[in-house]
Amino acid sequence: MGQGISAIHLNDRSEIPRPPLDVLRKLRDDGMTMVLATHEMAFAREVADRVVFMDQGVVAEEGAPGRIFSAPERERTRQFLASVLR
């Protein structure tokens, strides 16, 4: 499945194709655990139960999407999110 959605590079979550997002939601709702690596923060915010922010291959911050996206603890996380979520 990763290859099918890995080509999605969007800045606006309204542009995320509904079928892949709907499939991921259905799998999540059915109890499937998934690990998705993405740079698409709108996508992550939309589907994730937990977000892990990595910096140079090291986990720098992790938590619920609501907290990470609204009040990140680390300056590097704030800078990254500010640069991609305009």
Side-chain angles (χ1 to χ4, degrees), residues 19-84:
L21 191 55
D22 291 344
V23 169
L24 291 174
R25 277 197 190 113
K26 171 85 169 95
L27 291 171
R28 179 196 61 199
D29 293 346
D30 287 347
M32 179 174 281
T33 298
M34 295 173 273
V35 175
L36 301 172
T38 185
H39 290 101
E40 306 302 332
M41 295 300 100
F43 177 76
R45 184 171 37 195
E46 177 83 17
V47 300
D49 294 321
R50 179 184 192 98
V51 173
V52 177
F53 178 77
M54 297 186 71
D55 186 15
Q56 298 183 1
V58 177
V59 173
E61 191 164 354
E62 64 181 288
R67 187 196 63 76
I68 296 291
F69 288 102
S70 65
E73 294 173 1
R74 294 179 165 254
E75 180 61 26
R76 183 90 164 105
T77 309
R78 286 190 291 274
Q79 290 171 346
F80 174 75
L81 291 175
S83 73
V84 298

